[in-house]
């Protein structure tokens, strides 16, 4: 079952991206380097509640 998650920038705390993940294969919180339009560069984005 895929669940919907929100990714937030670790530097400016803006919630920029919505995506889905499979909780069976990835039970831990997701961390991805993505582009933040507010910081105007690639930053680490973490899964939020």
């Amino acid at each position: 079952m895929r669940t919907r998650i929100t990714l937030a920038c670790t530097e400016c705390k803006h919630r920029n991206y919505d995506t889905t993940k499979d909780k069976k294969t990835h039970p831990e919180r997701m961390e991805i380097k993505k582009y933040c339009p507010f910081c105007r560069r690639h930053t680490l984005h973490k899964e939020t509640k």
Side-chain angles (χ1 to χ4, degrees):
M1 180 173 110
R2 296 189 73 78
T3 55
R4 202 169 157 194
I5 61 167
T6 304
L7 299 175
C9 178
T10 55
E11 295 187 20
C12 67
K13 308 297 187 227
H14 276 92
R15 294 178 179 207
N16 299 322
Y17 295 98
D18 290 324
T19 187
T20 61
K21 78 168 188 178
D22 187 9
K23 281 199 172 182
K24 285 184 182 177
T25 57
H26 299 288
E28 66 281 342
R29 287 202 172 188
M30 244 170 133
E31 291 183 357
I32 304 172
K33 271 194 113 175
K34 291 186 81 66
Y35 180 77
C36 178
F38 299 98
C39 299
R40 288 197 230 139
R41 57 193 174 106
H42 284 84
T43 59
L44 187 67
H45 282 67
K46 289 186 178 180
E47 178 184 342
T48 60
K49 288 187 177 181

